[in-house]
Amino acid sequence: MWDSRPFVDGRKTCIGGAVESWSGPSEEVTSPVFDARTGKRLVIGRLATMGEVDAVRAVEASAAAWDRGQGAWPQMSLAERIERVEGAVAALKERRDEIVNVLMWEIAKNSADAAAEFDRTVAFIGKTIETLRRLDEESAGWRVVSGVMAFVRRAAVGVMMLLGPYN
């Protein structure tokens, strides 16, 4: 069992589309599993601890990439954006066993429950894409609203912030 204990090196940042090693402060990520020899929680990784300056740098990089709607992502077609997301999901699926193992250690889930969580997440992304495609087919095209004719299409709308917890 101890041989499967992961170590995830999260001392990295992704700002402006570049993944870089992080030499700033970091913190240990521990499992709820205790080491009987030491009485301490097992360390399963490290996580970069970014501060205000780094957060502002990330927001500024996002705004530059958005470029008032003229950046690469907002100018991509919906099909191209979906293709990119599906590519990311495919890459995650290739690492399913590794991710399931990390989930088991990080939140003390058994193998079946951790695998189900991974599979549910992948299925949710797939259903979201399916729904987006359907909505785009139903709403794209010329419409008259309040006497004004306009072409309606789904598009990226701006910089967003996503914060996710870790256990």
Side-chain angles (χ1 to χ4, degrees), residues 62-137:
S62 297
W66 168 249
D67 191 21
R68 297 183 179 179
Q70 300 305 304
W73 183 262
Q75 288 299 307
M76 279 183 202
S77 68
L78 178 61
E80 290 171 308
R81 291 194 306 270
I82 287 173
E83 184 179 322
R84 298 286 178 96
V85 171
E86 288 175 330
V89 170
L92 290 171
K93 284 175 151 179
E94 290 175 7
R95 299 180 67 181
R96 180 183 184 273
D97 291 345
E98 177 186 350
I99 293 168
V100 166
N101 185 53
V102 171
L103 283 171
M104 288 170 37
W105 282 90
E106 184 183 14
I107 53 181
K109 284 195 173 193
N110 63 42
S111 177
D113 287 345
E117 182 170 334
F118 180 91
D119 295 340
R120 252 189 334 272
T121 301
V122 168
F124 175 77
I125 295 168
K127 285 290 188 187
T128 301
I129 289 170
E130 180 183 310
T131 301
L132 181 57
R133 282 186 174 129
R134 183 180 49 75
L135 288 172
D136 187 58
E137 288 172 9

Side-chain angles (χ1 to χ4, degrees), residues 10-32:
R11 292 174 295 185
K12 297 177 179 74
T13 61
C14 181
I15 297 176
V19 176
E20 297 177 351
S21 294
W22 174 256
S23 59
S26 64
E27 61 184 83
E28 290 183 340
V29 177
T30 59
S31 172

